[in-house]
Amino acid sequence: MASFNTEFDQTLHHAWHLFREGHDVPHHDVPDTVQRSWSRSRDYGLNESARILFDPVPRARIRELSEQHRQLLELVQPDMTRLFDTLSSRDWALAFLEAEGCVLASIGGEKPDMRDVVTALRPGVNLSEHIAGTSGPACVLAEGRPAVVSGGEHFFEAIRRFSCAAVPVMSPQGGLAGVLNGSRCHDGRPLGVIEPLMLAARSIENRMVEALPGATVIRLHCDPAFVASPLAGVIALSDQGTVLGATAYARHLLGLDSTEPAGIDALLDTTHDALLDALRDTSRPARLWRHNGIALHAQRVQREPARGVPRPAARTASGAASPRFDRQTHRAVWQAERVYAQGLPVLITGETGTGKEVLARHLHDTGPRSQGPFVAINCAAIPADLIESELFGYEPGAFTGASRHGKPGKLEQANGGTLFLDEIGDMPLPLQARLLRVIQERAVTRVGGTRLLTLDCALLCATHRDLRRSVQTGEFREDLYYRINGLSVSLTPLRAREDFEALIDTLLAELGAPGRPLRLDSASRQRLRQHRWPGNIRELQQVLRLGAALSHDGIIRSDDLPAELVAPTDNTLQPSQTLQSAERAAIVQALARNGGNVSATARELGVARATIYRKMEPFELEGVRDLDSDRGEAAD
């Protein structure tokens, strides 16, 4: 045993000697869970002095485990990182084990006195009881329940300087998917922290159920206030209403036997069709009833990616990771799916980098035209004199330099599929008139030609501008605006998203190597929080990629981030400055940080929006008014 300075350690020391001598150990001295594990470990013939946990693990075995459990790791790592950041990080090491006992991923243990436990928790090490003896993970693997093992309660001497808490993570089918473990140095007292681990485990279980393909996902709780929280149970149903998977808490709420497949009508006092109808409104929970009269509250989850927004790990055509959309946007996305499926146009608004093309591709991929082409054209990136030929195509010899074979335009190429016009607010007025005719007539004439070519394509448009304002100023045709705006979906800028921290963790998990996730230290994470993100998710992805490339130990620090990420501002009033000039400088700097958005600037400075407008004329900032109007709908 290790040193015995506390009453707890002395009691354990005495209990261990009783055990070794074959005597009964008082139940109040050592928990029954630990005593049963001691007995099993002895029956396995383990030697308490063994150091098997420190033996080398073949790299081929680590690669094999990572490949075998790649999808599970993708679901686990964001919650592991988030949990680690909520703990006293330097004092803890976290690990996730698969159901057979092998460590798949670990994080933490930066302090020198944590070196041994970090070695014992490295990927590939098997912590099953028949190999590693009594420990928190071993007890969970053996008995399927949360376990805490402190100091001398461990069977192996080599790890008695540490304490660990471990909880099971259950699969959607009701079996054990793995174990989440937290370890720290033993301080002479029993370890009592297990609640954060249980919450993280429940979040992982929720993720696993929500990731089941081709399923209707429903959140359940007895209290409607907790339906949208990680405390809710989650269940996934097939198109026929059969349970495909459920979290442990959902099984408890529904009285679901994990070994038997069941239909939802056997669990609730409703039919599958009636259930879907009751959950049609995804903005608030619906009340359901079990056959025994117990009331539950339920809400349908917007699917990712089958019927909702794309999963974080999905890839765009360019190969970049597709960002998730925030919870505020889920209902708008669901409405856009319905509208697009009926052949109506959808207008997507939002700042640069918020994911407008990602949403457009999602609508195409999940809609009735998914087997047809997706043709995208950026109206702001093509020279004005080429937009017409790009859109409508041209006949042979239509202009100098034209191909002698002619060329079909984007509208023709999109036949049977979807045409996506990005930054349509930058389209020249003459072309707006011709596009309007094409949309009305569903036919196009190539440049230099006379034949009418029939078109059959869905139309999606996107812009960062306020098109209603552009209509008022005469920069955009009113009749075209109403033709392309069957439904308007506004994407939230990154700085206003509620899931900013979760999005960072998801992107870090994608960039990290299997079993060795990336994470941010507290200073670099604070810099990310303070930045205004004018480039939104696209900018965040690039910043994290740079940090990952410069990090040498899996921890992204401030020095690994771009120097301009949060440019320090000099707020010192110079002798030559008047109070008025300092006030003007503060407003100008705030406007720059907020991309010219007056509402956001007013919120940052803690004044009314009218105050900013009132200062514009004396400070010669009148031009900002138009900039704010151009961006207002997308940014506010």
Side-chain angles (χ1 to χ4, degrees):
M1 301 286 285
S3 58
F4 315 104
N5 300 320
T6 68
E7 182 180 354
F8 174 77
D9 283 328
Q10 291 171 2
T11 299
L12 278 180
H13 179 60
H14 176 67
W16 179 255
H17 277 283
L18 289 176
F19 172 75
R20 290 182 62 182
E21 298 297 325
H23 301 301
D24 291 337
V25 178
H27 293 286
H28 56 79
D29 287 349
V30 179
D32 290 346
T33 300
V34 173
Q35 289 199 43
R36 288 194 296 270
S37 181
W38 281 0
S39 297
R40 290 191 297 264
S41 299
R42 180 176 56 191
D43 293 343
Y44 293 137
L46 299 180
N47 182 344
E48 64 182 275
S49 301
R51 294 182 57 85
I52 190 171
L53 299 182
F54 303 95
D55 290 347
V57 178
R59 291 187 177 181
R61 176 57 177 160
I62 298 175
R63 286 196 300 270
E64 178 186 354
L65 285 168
S66 297
E67 289 300 322
Q68 182 181 352
H69 300 283
R70 179 175 298 275
Q71 185 178 12
L72 179 58
L73 279 169
E74 289 177 358
L75 296 169
V76 166
Q77 286 176 338
D79 283 294
M80 276 188 67
T81 304
R82 194 174 303 115
L83 172 62
F84 185 72
D85 288 336
T86 65
L87 300 170
S88 300
S89 302
R90 285 177 52 82
D91 297 328
W92 285 88
L94 301 180
F96 184 81
L97 294 68
E98 45 87 59
E100 299 301 318
C102 289
V103 177
L104 295 182
S106 58
I107 184 173
E110 300 173 12
K111 295 174 67 174
D113 55 1
M114 292 283 287
R115 182 173 53 199
D116 282 352
V117 76
V118 169
T119 302
L121 295 178
R122 69 197 187 281
V125 174
N126 193 321
L127 296 179
S128 300
E129 198 174 60
H130 67 281
I131 294 176
T134 304
S135 68
C139 289
V140 174
L141 290 165
E143 300 191 357
R145 293 179 294 185
V148 176
V149 176
S150 302
E153 292 176 343
H154 288 89
F155 191 88
F156 282 169
E157 289 179 348
I159 54 175
R160 288 175 186 165
R161 294 191 300 107
F162 306 103
S163 295
C164 58
V167 296
V169 177
M170 308 306 290
S171 75
Q173 289 70 43
L176 184 69
V179 177
L180 182 61
N181 175 77
S183 295
R184 58 174 296 172
C185 289
H186 175 55
D187 63 359
R189 297 171 295 177
L191 184 66
V193 179
I194 202 167
E195 288 81 3
L197 288 161
M198 295 181 69
L199 286 174
R202 181 170 290 188
S203 179
I204 293 169
E205 291 174 356
N206 291 355
R207 283 175 180 269
M208 288 194 289
V209 174
E210 291 173 1
L212 291 174
T216 298
V217 180
I218 301 169
R219 287 177 169 269
L220 302 161
H221 202 278
C222 297
D223 187 333
F226 293 108
V227 170
S229 76
L231 298 176
V234 183
I235 187 169
L237 304 178
S238 70
D239 290 340
Q240 292 74 41
T242 302
V243 176
L244 297 176
T247 62
Y249 186 59
R251 293 176 182 277
H252 168 72
L253 290 175
L254 295 169
L256 178 60
D257 187 337
S258 61
T259 62
E260 295 292 334
I264 196 64
D265 55 349
L267 304 172
L268 294 171
D269 192 13
T270 183
T271 65
H272 181 233
D273 290 341
L275 173 66
L276 296 182
D277 188 61
L279 299 176
R280 192 173 303 279
D281 183 358
T282 58
S283 64
R284 59 182 180 180
R287 178 178 290 184
L288 305 174
W289 301 90
R290 286 184 55 184
H291 292 299
N292 59 7
I294 295 178
L296 298 176
H297 298 272
Q299 192 170 15
R300 184 170 177 172
V301 176
Q302 196 70 21
R303 284 293 296 156
E304 298 183 7
R307 292 299 302 165
V309 290
R311 284 185 58 193
R315 299 278 159 178
T316 65
S318 63
S322 301
R324 294 185 308 177
F325 293 107
D326 61 317
R327 186 166 53 87
Q328 302 104 294
T329 312
H330 280 185
R331 178 166 175 78
V333 172
W334 176 78
Q335 291 175 331
E337 292 171 349
R338 300 283 299 275
V339 168
Y340 171 84
Q342 297 299 317
L344 297 174
V346 177
L347 175 62
I348 307 168
T349 64
E351 296 178 10
T352 299
T354 50
K356 295 188 291 292
E357 183 172 350
V358 172
L359 176 54
R361 287 185 178 275
H362 165 71
L363 294 176
H364 171 77
D365 291 342
T366 60
R369 295 176 177 267
S370 59
Q371 301 304 311
F374 178 88
V375 178
I377 183 167
N378 189 325
C379 301
I382 299 177
D385 56 341
L386 295 181
I387 291 181
E388 188 172 19
S389 60
E390 282 289 325
L391 275 178
F392 308 118
Y394 58 83
E395 296 289 358
F399 51 84
T400 303
S403 168
R404 61 190 181 90
H405 301 293
K407 181 183 177 182
K410 298 292 187 182
L411 290 161
E412 286 182 65
Q413 295 173 26
N415 255 332
T418 302
L419 175 69
F420 174 54
L421 297 179
D422 197 7
E423 301 301 351
I424 192 171
D426 295 289
M427 179 178 284
L429 274 170
L431 281 184
Q432 293 179 28
R434 187 167 178 193
L435 177 62
L436 176 64
R437 288 198 305 272
V438 169
I439 296 174
Q440 289 174 331
E441 299 170 5
R442 292 287 174 176
V444 65
T445 302
R446 290 184 180 181
V447 175
T450 57
R451 290 183 302 133
L452 273 177
L453 304 173
T454 303
L455 293 179
D456 175 26
C457 65
L459 180 65
L460 299 174
C461 299
T463 181
H464 71 281
R465 298 188 180 277
D466 181 352
L467 290 189
R468 288 178 295 185
R469 173 71 175 174
S470 298
V471 168
Q472 294 171 2
T473 59
E475 297 173 285
F476 200 84
R477 293 181 62 104
E478 184 175 19
D479 45 8
L480 178 58
Y481 172 72
Y482 289 114
R483 280 288 182 178
I484 65 175
N485 188 21
L487 174 73
S488 181
V489 177
S490 181
L491 301 184
T492 311
L494 182 59
R495 61 183 172 274
R497 286 180 58 154
E498 296 177 352
D499 64 341
F500 179 68
E501 297 287 345
L503 183 60
I504 290 175
D505 294 336
T506 297
L507 295 175
L508 286 172
E510 293 174 12
L511 291 170
R516 288 293 181 184
L518 286 168
R519 71 178 186 88
L520 296 156
D521 68 7
S522 58
S524 59
R525 187 173 285 269
Q526 182 62 22
R527 288 185 67 184
L528 296 188
R529 293 191 191 103
Q530 293 174 340
H531 190 52
R532 299 302 299 170
W533 300 108
N536 289 288
I537 297 173
R538 188 180 299 127
E539 181 186 5
L540 174 61
Q541 288 174 325
Q542 289 301 106
V543 165
L544 293 180
R545 287 193 188 103
L546 175 65
L550 295 179
S551 170
H552 64 280
D553 58 358
I555 302 174
I556 299 176
R557 298 175 172 83
S558 293
D559 292 344
D560 301 325
L561 300 176
E564 67 276 11
L565 188 64
V566 182
T569 57
D570 185 6
N571 295 320
T572 305
L573 186 63
Q574 301 300 321
S576 60
Q577 277 187 301
T578 65
L579 183 60
Q580 186 181 47
S581 64
E583 187 179 15
R584 183 187 190 281
I587 292 176
V588 168
Q589 291 172 3
L591 283 166
R593 286 193 298 273
N594 290 284
N597 187 286
V598 174
S599 298
T601 299
R603 285 195 297 270
E604 179 180 330
L605 296 178
V607 299
R609 177 173 172 163
T611 301
I612 303 296
Y613 280 121
R614 193 170 62 250
K615 299 287 185 181
M616 286 181 177
E617 186 173 352
F619 288 167
E620 299 179 346
L621 299 173
E622 298 95 328
V624 180
R625 187 186 303 269
D626 289 335
L627 179 59
D628 183 55
S629 299
D630 282 346
R631 299 188 179 184
E633 181 184 30
D636 286 344

